[in-house]
Amino acid sequence: MDSQPGATPYSAPAGCPMHQPQTSLYGPEFAADPQSVYARFRAHGAAAPIELAPGVDATLIVQHEAALRVLQNPSLFARDSRRWAALREGAIPMDSPVLPMMAYRPNCLFTDGAEHLRLRKAVTESLARLNVSRLSRDVERIADYLIDQFIERGTADLLNEYAKLLPLLLFNQLFGCPGDIGDRLTRSMAAIFDGEDVLRANAELTECLMELVALKRRQPGEDITSWLIQHPAGLRDEELKDQLVMLMGAGVEPERNLIANALLLMLSGDQPGGAERRGSGMLVEDALDDVLWNNPPIANYATHYPVRDVELDGVTLKAETPVVISFAAANTDPGLTDARQTLSKGAHLAWGAGPHVCPAKSPATLIALTAIEKILNTVPDLALAVPANGVGWRPGPFHRALVALPVRFTPTTARRAATGAQSPAPAQMPDPYRTTAPGQTATPRHAAESPKKAKGWWSSFLDVFRV
């Protein structure tokens, strides 16, 4: 098997139109118009060679029926990335921005069989302990806090100032994070998703989550971390840490994109030329379903590794090479015309399928629904500040994510004054993606508790709400 960088991880019949250079899924050209790429791939078959990052080759499944065959057949397609031959043989750069999303961790995303069932049971039963009313209140409280940071300005970036921060802060709440751990968790997860200094970010993420696990073993609370520790599965510290990584990874990036993409859809109808079914009168539930069909927040993921060479619609998927499912391409497969005409909620693959189907569909939907309703009700004259077709999309192989969502509205007095608590003025709010305060040099680790250290979003939120 040829596993050198640039090798095509599948074979096709001689003369096949798919004998062509691999297509990059991480450049701005792909981000600007991914559907045209998917359509070109589908015209030639169920699978296509792609490059996820420089030196990281894979096969992309672009047809709905073929995607289901991979997702629902764990005996032929494993999720354990320790099977990835190119990574095992040192052909993948260790600082590749996609490795945090692809490299093995002992969690239910990267395991198979009995081990997967054991870990998934711990996760699903811990999630089942979430109180729906409390979850909704937590979302509303965080939403109120974030809205207060920009409501007096009359302008905002709803991606970076709202949709991006809300799930990060919410998971700090759900995990039971104290201020310092939550600030570091927020910063490191944001850096990993944005592909910024991923080795440092992954090290910081590991460090702060292990601190959280140790804290919750000593002082359990009513939070997901404590529930995972108490679960009969008896998870080791490393396993606990990596279930938390999986939960945050599966909840933060998809959630922020679901919220932002749905807001873009709903606000687009206020402009000339807004697409049919779109507009400010659209129900939030319908907007979310439309996004899951047409702009799924995780567009390409669910990496599988064939346990042996597998024939799939005339294409041979080579053993131990990454096979990525394109949820976005599968959802727009022309073979689903009838289902798409009614936007059947059961036909799209945005939540996955098979043994690794998303275990948090209901809470994820509730979070997005609550966050969108809160901003629309609080700022009723919200309008896009740019043409809907002029927004930028963030390059990357896995997500369908906006760069920004600029809006305008009538300035209103922030409601935080009624609480008796003072939070920093918007211009003074800490940047959650900095490792140091503006104008400062890096702070040595041993001086981390210095009173001059800039606070992150989570500790600033705690100062206001004392949760």
Side-chain angles (χ1 to χ4, degrees):
M1 179 183 65
D2 185 357
S3 61
Q4 295 303 309
T8 302
Y10 77 100
S11 61
C16 173
M18 287 307 292
H19 275 301
Q20 59 178 315
Q22 290 167 306
T23 298
S24 161
L25 293 196
Y26 55 86
E29 297 82 6
F30 173 75
D33 188 14
Q35 284 298 334
S36 66
V37 176
Y38 301 145
R40 187 174 76 247
F41 287 164
R42 273 197 308 268
H44 299 303
I50 49 101
E51 189 178 47
L52 296 171
V56 183
D57 301 329
T59 301
L60 189 70
I61 305 297
V62 293
Q63 291 183 350
H64 187 274
E65 189 274 337
L68 283 176
R69 286 167 60 187
V70 175
L71 290 165
Q72 296 176 341
N73 198 339
S75 63
L76 287 180
F77 297 97
R79 293 296 295 268
D80 189 338
S81 57
R82 289 175 295 185
R83 293 177 176 270
W84 187 2
L87 179 63
R88 197 170 60 240
E89 295 164 8
I92 304 299
M94 294 309 295
D95 61 350
S96 172
V98 298
L99 272 190
M101 298 285 286
M102 296 180 69
Y104 173 80
R105 296 179 187 270
N107 63 35
C108 52
L109 190 64
F110 294 103
T111 50
D112 303 293
E115 185 67 359
H116 169 252
L117 291 175
R118 180 179 75 91
L119 296 174
R120 185 179 174 91
K121 184 178 176 65
V123 168
T124 55
E125 292 183 356
S126 295
L127 289 175
R129 296 180 65 174
L130 287 173
N131 180 285
V132 174
S133 297
R134 175 187 165 191
L135 179 62
S136 182
R137 288 195 303 272
D138 287 342
V139 174
E140 290 188 346
R141 182 165 50 184
I142 292 169
D144 282 334
Y145 169 73
L146 294 174
I147 293 169
D148 270 354
Q149 311 312 316
F150 56 74
I151 198 168
E152 296 179 342
R153 296 203 313 259
T155 62
D157 174 358
L158 289 189
L159 185 280
N160 291 294
E161 295 183 272
Y162 189 68
K164 188 174 187 175
L165 292 172
L166 189 147
L168 281 168
L169 299 182
L170 178 63
F171 272 87
N172 283 333
Q173 174 76 26
L174 297 178
F175 288 176
C177 290
D180 178 60
I181 290 178
D183 285 346
R184 290 151 54 205
L185 180 59
T186 302
R187 182 173 61 237
S188 58
M189 284 301 300
I192 286 174
F193 281 125
D194 291 340
E196 298 174 356
D197 195 3
V198 293
L199 291 178
R200 180 207 58 78
N202 192 55
E204 181 176 52
L205 177 66
T206 297
E207 179 184 41
C208 67
L209 285 178
M210 291 301 281
E211 287 182 25
L212 179 62
V213 168
L215 172 65
K216 293 299 177 178
R217 283 199 184 277
R218 299 191 306 269
Q219 302 172 18
E222 289 298 306
D223 52 68
I224 290 176
T225 310
S226 300
W227 298 335
L228 284 169
I229 290 171
Q230 297 160 4
H231 193 271
L235 303 184
R236 304 183 304 275
D237 283 4
E238 186 75 10
E239 291 177 326
L240 287 163
K241 179 259 295 181
D242 282 302
Q243 305 325 298
L244 296 175
V245 171
M246 184 272 300
L247 283 168
M248 201 163 195
V252 170
E253 174 79 17
E255 197 70 52
R256 79 181 189 186
N257 298 337
L258 181 58
I259 294 168
N261 295 356
L263 281 169
L264 172 63
L265 177 64
M266 298 186 74
L267 297 176
S268 297
D270 292 329
Q271 300 188 346
E276 186 180 357
R277 292 187 296 103
R278 303 181 181 190
S280 56
M282 192 178 198
L283 294 175
V284 178
E285 294 89 340
D286 292 338
L288 291 173
D289 200 46
D290 191 294
V291 167
L292 292 169
W293 268 104
N294 298 302
N295 252 345
I298 295 298
N300 309 295
Y301 197 48
T303 310
H304 291 71
Y305 301 87
V307 299
R308 57 175 173 79
D309 289 0
V310 178
E311 185 81 8
L312 185 71
D313 293 345
V315 173
T316 300
L317 305 176
K318 290 290 189 179
E320 300 189 320
T321 63
V323 174
V324 176
I325 304 298
S326 179
F327 303 117
N331 286 351
T332 54
D333 188 340
L336 288 176
T337 301
D338 292 341
R340 285 181 54 77
Q341 285 177 347
T342 59
L343 287 183
S344 168
K345 291 180 171 61
H348 70 67
L349 294 180
W351 302 110
H356 286 269
V357 67
C358 177
K361 175 181 176 180
S362 293
T365 302
L366 174 63
I367 292 165
L369 182 68
T370 306
I372 294 170
E373 288 181 340
K374 171 59 72 170
I375 185 70
L376 294 178
N377 290 336
T378 305
V379 191
D381 63 344
L382 202 63
L384 288 178
V386 298
N389 59 6
V391 297
W393 297 93
R394 180 160 55 94
F398 303 126
H399 52 246
R400 184 60 174 161
L402 289 165
V403 174
L405 185 58
V407 295
R408 62 179 185 275
F409 49 88
T410 303
T412 306
T413 301
R415 290 168 298 167
R416 65 178 175 271
T419 69
Q422 295 295 320
S423 61
Q428 299 173 320
M429 285 302 295
D431 181 344
Y433 311 114
R434 287 184 182 270
T435 55
T436 60
Q440 293 182 344
T441 57
T443 303
R445 187 71 184 94
H446 67 271
E449 300 304 320
S450 167
K452 294 182 179 180
K453 182 183 177 183
K455 287 189 174 183
W457 281 97
W458 181 239
S459 56
S460 297
F461 172 76
L462 291 178
D463 282 349
V464 174
F465 284 92
R466 297 298 177 190
V467 293

